[in-house]
Amino acid sequence: MSKITDPIADYLTRIRNAQKAKHRVVDIPASNIKKEITKILKDKGYILNYKFEDEVNFQGNIKIALKYNPETKIPAIKAIKRISKPGLRKYCHIDSIPRVLNGLGIAVISTSKGVITDKEARELGVGGEVLCYVY
């Protein structure tokens, strides 16, 4: 088994690929930060549901039920992009928190107050590392 250098990019890619293949459920190895991102995606209506499975192996698993439009079968997530990478970290100050599609999308930011959306970061008055954009 090879070591993944960027687990968050792997997480986003698995979601992207599962949607392209029209899968209903995607399995992703768990970590605390991935669990937090998953909770945000559920809260904002980008995924149907999720389940954290801890007994599978020492790391655990996240099962994500993907969301599609019932008529058109178009995925709820149009794009999901990694912003801060291990080779080039992207941080934002409170004054420069990004707006995704003029507020239609969300930026997921890792702050001192936890992993939160761009809107919550503005309300709390904190900056942090911009993990990804979802819209």
Side-chain angles (χ1 to χ4, degrees):
M1 196 171 123
S2 64
K3 179 93 175 78
I4 299 167
T5 50
D6 190 357
I8 296 166
D10 175 67
Y11 167 89
L12 301 177
T13 301
R14 283 174 192 243
I15 292 175
R16 219 178 290 120
N17 291 345
Q19 282 190 329
K20 275 207 171 80
K22 300 273 189 264
H23 289 311
R24 293 212 172 281
V25 177
V26 60
D27 268 340
I28 300 168
S31 76
N32 288 340
I33 199 155
K34 290 182 203 170
K35 287 180 182 178
E36 292 305 312
I37 295 170
T38 305
K39 287 176 190 166
I40 289 173
L41 291 178
K42 169 79 169 102
D43 289 345
K44 300 298 173 200
Y46 287 106
I47 58 175
L48 273 179
N49 217 334
Y50 61 86
K51 191 166 115 192
F52 300 140
E53 297 175 333
D54 296 324
E55 70 284 338
V56 179
N57 55 21
F58 63 93
Q59 188 179 12
N61 239 357
I62 306 172
K63 260 194 189 330
I64 297 175
L66 298 171
K67 189 174 183 178
Y68 299 93
N69 181 322
E71 290 94 47
T72 59
K73 302 283 187 266
I74 295 171
I77 299 173
K78 305 273 177 288
I80 187 163
K81 286 191 184 122
R82 181 79 160 116
I83 303 302
S84 183
K85 301 178 170 87
L88 180 63
R89 298 284 183 196
K90 292 270 199 273
Y91 295 96
C92 66
H93 188 265
I94 176 62
D95 306 327
S96 62
I97 293 173
R99 290 181 70 81
V100 181
L101 280 186
N102 223 355
L104 291 174
I106 60 167
V108 179
I109 302 172
S110 175
T111 68
S112 55
K113 302 262 195 286
V115 179
I116 56 177
T117 64
D118 52 316
K119 192 168 178 253
E120 291 165 344
R122 274 188 212 92
E123 285 166 10
L124 292 171
V126 290
E129 184 181 352
V130 184
L131 298 177
C132 62
Y133 291 166
V134 185
Y135 53 91

